[in-house]
Amino acid sequence: MLVRRCPWRSIQLHQLWCPRQIHTREAIHDKRWPGWQVIIGIEVHAQIKSRRKLFSESSTSRPGEIPNTTVSTFDSAFPGTLPTLNPKCVELAVRTALALNSKVHHHSAFDRKHYFYSDLPAGYQITQRYSPLASGGYLKLSKGDVSVGIQQIQLEQDTAKSTFDGLRRTSLIDLNRAGSGLMEIVSEPHMRSPEEAADYVRTLQAVLRCVGSSDGNMEQGSFRCDVNVSINKHGQPHGTRCEIKNLNSVKFMTVAITSEVFRHIELLESGYSVSQDTRGFDENKAETFKLRSKADSPDYRYMPDPNIPPLLLSEEYIETIRKTMPDLPDTTRVRLRNLGLSERDTDVLMAVDSGHEVGFDGELGKGAVTYFDSLAQQRDPRVVVNWMTHELIGQLTARKETFSDNPVSVEQLGELIDLVQDGKITGTSGKLLLKHIIANRSSSAPSVLARELSLEAVSEDDNASTRAWCAEAIEALPEEAEAVRQGNPRVLNKLVGKIMQLSRGRADAQNARVVLEDVLRR
């Protein structure tokens, strides 16, 4: 009898039986649960920001799209349809792997994960459980000297969206999301508190947005977390883990982990054991609830997908992507600080749309950091960031708009800053001009608008106009003027403010103060 070796089965058995290296860290003593150690690992499902789905020509859906309108015959599992791998999804997943210091495998393969549910038309999900795109790596957290290991990164299909209609007691299925590309990023169980888990998720979101592979939007469902939690006494083996499924906000994730830790402690201290469950999270009650036990979990019957050949990536392909990678958040932060920006200004720039607005298929260049970089060329970076963070972003926020709604081009704001720096308009006039551009969505040059709106600065030689405004200010505020004459200089600022108001910001404040003092002395 001829026995043939099955490479896929060999990989499967190796992963099942190969002993895992235990990660050890110095014991962390938490006042919330003295004597206990918390072990946390997270599986993240991040939707790849590509125009096309993973294995079909259908476009990926956007929030608010009409249900069941971006669906191909392959997405809806029509018999006879075959998958065609989207190379952009592969490229963005490789970017992610490189950003997480993972090893990208030259050979990976796709499996079928079988289970039957209404949101899975084919009855199986295409994934990479046993031969993933990348493995290993780590993510350094933003707080403390903590790095979280990465177990593996795999490509897989997203499912359809199932919505329960309580009025009609019916589940509604929207196939728009079915077949969209996902990256499953599986961490090692290296986190030791809910706060470290939150830091991991926020840092990972920033990395994915920075490399352009995912928008990381938890509220819209493009970034979902499954959290594994176990506890043990210090110095003892790890306890039984439970998995909390589909957490869609960092806040709820920290609450869910905390709730689960206290549930485990209560069981163990009462003499009971913790059963290995898959659990959900009730946001209203702030507690987890049982979905199914390990004994009830389905047998996914993994098998190689016969319709998809192995994914082969050359070293040249990987290196090309590595060389064209955008800067990662840590690199960007160091670069901005080296330009003389304060820590606060750097944080604001990187927090606005996470520094980059993520376009489709890895397109970058529309975010606040890129806008700043273009604006700061041949200008003082500290002056530029002041106009961006205090004036531009401040006025957008006051209008309840985000940076992605910004109508002011780099050229417009750059010219406006130059006009102020050259003394052709005052800082006050510059703010009024910026407000006008935002409110009216004007594409005109600031110099033209300054002329049209009579916002050009009054020169220091034109004392006639300044004296006229001083006379009007004294007439409007006679008591303050008399107080200054009597030797009380503290109210002088109020008179100067009135002059600036009368001149609509055209007068130079320092020159107005000198002229006003001269007028009051006479």
Side-chain angles (χ1 to χ4, degrees):
M1 182 177 68
L2 179 65
V3 179
R4 297 182 63 191
R5 180 176 176 270
C6 176
W8 177 88
R9 189 61 179 167
S10 174
I11 293 170
Q12 183 183 27
L13 291 172
H14 174 77
Q15 290 202 358
L16 287 172
W17 298 106
C18 180
R20 298 285 300 280
Q21 183 178 358
I22 301 300
H23 177 79
T24 57
R25 278 178 59 186
E26 186 178 342
I28 296 176
H29 299 279
D30 196 312
K31 294 179 181 178
R32 291 171 292 186
W33 32 78
W36 294 97
Q37 177 176 243
V38 177
I39 310 294
I40 301 168
I42 299 178
E43 298 172 14
V44 168
H45 296 85
Q47 192 174 99
I48 300 172
K49 194 73 179 286
S50 176
R51 287 186 175 87
R52 213 162 47 78
K53 294 185 179 180
L54 185 57
F55 292 111
S56 78
E57 293 294 329
S58 297
S59 59
T60 50
S61 62
R62 301 187 183 188
E65 206 148 20
I66 299 171
N68 299 309
T69 54
T70 58
V71 189
S72 70
T73 51
F74 178 79
D75 301 328
S76 48
F78 273 53
T81 55
L82 293 173
T84 303
L85 181 61
N86 178 357
K88 278 294 180 183
C89 288
V90 177
E91 179 186 331
L92 295 177
V94 171
R95 276 194 198 181
T96 301
L98 294 174
L100 295 176
N101 309 288
S102 300
K103 176 178 173 54
V104 180
H105 299 301
H106 298 297
H107 178 286
S108 60
F110 291 93
D111 314 315
R112 289 184 178 181
K113 176 184 178 181
H114 293 83
Y115 63 96
F116 297 96
Y117 201 70
S118 55
D119 62 7
L120 195 67
Y124 62 83
Q125 179 188 34
I126 301 175
T127 182
Q128 290 188 307
R129 173 68 178 86
Y130 293 106
S131 185
L133 179 80
S135 60
Y138 62 90
L139 178 64
K140 191 175 186 308
L141 303 189
S142 64
K143 299 172 184 176
D145 188 20
V146 178
S147 292
V148 175
I150 303 297
Q151 181 182 329
Q152 67 182 49
I153 301 170
Q154 61 198 51
L155 286 167
E156 62 184 31
Q157 290 176 303
D158 206 347
T159 60
K161 186 177 180 181
S162 176
T163 306
F164 182 70
D165 186 338
L167 190 62
R168 290 184 287 177
R169 301 187 64 78
T170 304
S171 288
L172 306 175
I173 304 298
D174 178 10
L175 293 174
N176 280 351
R177 197 177 70 182
S180 296
L182 285 182
M183 294 177 292
E184 182 173 354
I185 304 168
V186 184
S187 84
E188 297 286 1
H190 292 172
M191 288 156 277
R192 296 293 181 265
S193 71
E195 291 73 29
E196 281 189 3
D199 193 2
Y200 170 81
V201 169
R202 290 193 183 101
T203 306
L204 181 59
Q205 280 178 312
V207 169
L208 297 186
R209 289 168 178 161
C210 196
V211 300
S213 59
S214 175
D215 58 21
N217 194 319
M218 297 187 81
E219 291 73 20
Q220 294 178 359
S222 61
F223 189 96
R224 308 187 292 274
C225 298
D226 299 339
V227 181
N228 290 282
V229 180
S230 70
I231 66 169
N232 57 270
K233 288 285 189 181
H234 289 297
Q236 294 185 2
H238 293 181
T240 303
R241 66 179 175 87
C242 291
E243 183 180 25
I244 312 169
K245 299 286 285 185
N246 293 327
L247 297 167
N248 60 3
S249 85
V250 174
K251 177 184 175 182
F252 289 141
M253 183 185 71
T254 55
V255 174
I257 293 171
T258 303
S259 168
E260 187 65 5
V261 170
F262 282 124
R263 188 183 72 86
H264 284 212
I265 292 173
E266 184 178 356
L267 283 171
L268 294 173
E269 290 185 343
S270 299
Y272 298 99
S273 62
V274 176
S275 59
Q276 190 169 346
D277 296 338
T278 299
R279 304 181 70 82
F281 177 64
D282 188 322
E283 297 170 3
N284 296 319
K285 295 181 180 179
E287 60 186 27
T288 64
F289 59 90
K290 182 176 178 178
L291 293 173
R292 60 180 180 268
S293 67
K294 181 66 176 176
D296 299 328
S297 63
D299 176 9
Y300 292 121
R301 295 175 294 124
Y302 284 97
M303 62 170 281
D305 194 301
N307 294 329
I308 308 175
L311 178 60
L312 305 177
L313 304 178
S314 67
E315 188 62 34
E316 292 75 19
Y317 173 83
I318 297 169
E319 284 305 311
T320 300
I321 293 176
R322 190 191 302 274
K323 290 174 184 175
T324 55
M325 287 269 289
D327 287 342
L328 296 179
D330 286 347
T331 306
T332 301
R333 181 177 295 278
V334 170
R335 178 172 61 81
L336 293 176
R337 292 303 306 274
N338 288 340
L339 289 173
L341 272 61
S342 67
E343 186 173 353
R344 177 193 172 279
D345 288 337
T346 301
D347 288 341
V348 170
L349 271 185
M350 295 191 67
V352 175
D353 296 338
S354 297
H356 288 290
E357 181 183 291
V358 179
F360 285 98
D361 294 325
E363 295 171 357
L364 299 171
K366 298 179 182 178
V369 171
T370 305
Y371 189 95
F372 167 81
D373 287 337
S374 300
L375 200 57
Q377 291 181 11
Q378 299 180 339
R379 296 186 181 92
D380 186 340
R382 288 168 293 187
V383 173
V384 168
V385 78
N386 184 62
W387 274 95
M388 274 194 67
T389 58
H390 293 90
E391 306 307 331
L392 177 59
I393 295 173
Q395 291 197 27
L396 288 171
T397 303
R399 294 173 58 86
K400 297 182 179 178
E401 294 177 341
T402 65
F403 191 77
S404 59
D405 303 316
N406 175 29
V408 185
S409 68
V410 170
E411 292 73 21
Q412 282 179 307
L413 186 54
E415 184 182 343
L416 189 152
I417 293 171
D418 293 341
L419 290 173
V420 175
Q421 292 298 103
D422 295 341
K424 294 179 180 178
I425 62 174
T426 64
T428 303
S429 294
K431 295 172 187 178
L432 290 172
L433 202 53
L434 183 61
K435 187 174 183 179
H436 174 86
I437 294 172
I438 294 172
N440 296 280
R441 286 335 197 226
S442 174
S443 59
S444 300
S447 56
V448 174
L449 290 173
R451 238 182 348 262
E452 291 176 354
L453 300 172
S454 300
L455 291 175
E456 293 175 309
V458 176
S459 68
E460 293 186 12
D461 298 331
D462 186 8
N463 281 342
S465 298
T466 306
R467 283 183 178 278
W469 288 319
C470 287
E472 287 185 55
I474 291 169
E475 185 178 347
L477 300 169
E479 293 181 5
E480 286 77 359
E482 185 59 32
V484 174
R485 289 191 182 103
Q486 297 299 323
N488 184 0
R490 287 182 297 179
V491 294
L492 190 64
N493 288 337
K494 189 171 182 180
L495 287 164
V496 173
K498 185 65 177 178
I499 293 169
M500 298 304 294
Q501 180 186 354
L502 292 168
S503 68
R504 297 179 62 235
R506 295 173 61 203
D508 179 78
Q510 293 298 324
N511 185 52
R513 189 183 189 93
V514 172
V515 173
L516 178 62
E517 288 175 340
D518 181 61
V519 171
L520 289 171
R521 279 196 298 266
R522 297 189 178 190

